[in-house]
Amino acid sequence: GENVEQHPSTLSVQEGDSAVIKCTYSDSASNYFPWYKQELGKRPQLIIDIRSNVGEKKDQRIAVTLNKTAKHFSLHITETQPEDSAVYFCAASSFFDMRFGAGTRLTVKP
Amino acid sequence: ETGVTQTPRHLVMGMTNKKSLKCEQHLGHNAMYWYKQSAKKPLELMFVYNFKEQTENNSVPSRFSPECPNSSHLFLHLHTLQPEDSALYLCASSQGPAGNGGEQYFGPGTRLTVT
């Protein structure tokens, strides 16, 4: 089955700096790659996603890149703010199956 | 409010108890999911239902029994659980498979503790 590796497990940045989280997947059938943000005690919420026919997608301070050949995708957050502090999960999906990475705890220091 | 609700929000049960978790979605979606979220482990997909039919069962022990009476409701029946089953159980729904545009919306979860 699908195996999704996510790095780093923890990330601490200064407010205003950029943060990058990387994921790799193993199933070449995966065609949808969402990123979720989960604040403490709350439900995971989708922040951005990318499909296999697209190499890059941007939404304000957040961007995601996908390299299908290498089977890896990344989340980029620019101009980080303290409210960006949370756990971020990547996922890879094929049809209904969705496999998640272990998560990255991002801390943005003011 | 994302339109996916779960009850109860917290549950403590003994290993010999039988209990049920309930999920309801008000988004008009046709697919519903159960996930298990344990500390320091990835979210694990347990079951998927599409139009009330089970499409995925990722080797989940039989002490977890799902039920989907219609596209808006999903249950997880629990019996003779083990302490290692203590976790946050999340329900999600989507309009079709993720790969075809079906973004998954999560409920708030049920925090389960097995004593």
Side-chain angles (χ1 to χ4, degrees), chain A residues 22-25 33 65-74:
Chain A
K22 298 183 178 183
C23 289
T24 60
Y25 63 98
F33 307 90
T65 59
L66 170 66
N67 183 327
K68 276 211 78 177
T69 303
K71 294 194 180 70
H72 65 71
F73 55 114
S74 301

Side-chain angles (χ1 to χ4, degrees), chain A residues 39-58:
Chain A
E39 296 177 66
L40 188 63
K42 296 191 175 180
R43 70 192 79 192
Q45 294 204 303
L46 181 75
I47 55 170
I48 195 167
D49 56 16
I50 192 167
R51 302 192 186 277
S52 58
N53 58 347
V54 176
E56 185 173 355
K57 184 178 178 180
K58 190 173 181 180

Side-chain angles (χ1 to χ4, degrees), chain B residues 37-49:
Chain B
Q37 187 173 32
S38 306
K40 300 182 180 179
K41 290 181 70 176
L43 270 158
E44 299 171 68
L45 180 64
M46 300 174 72
F47 303 104
V48 182
Y49 279 82

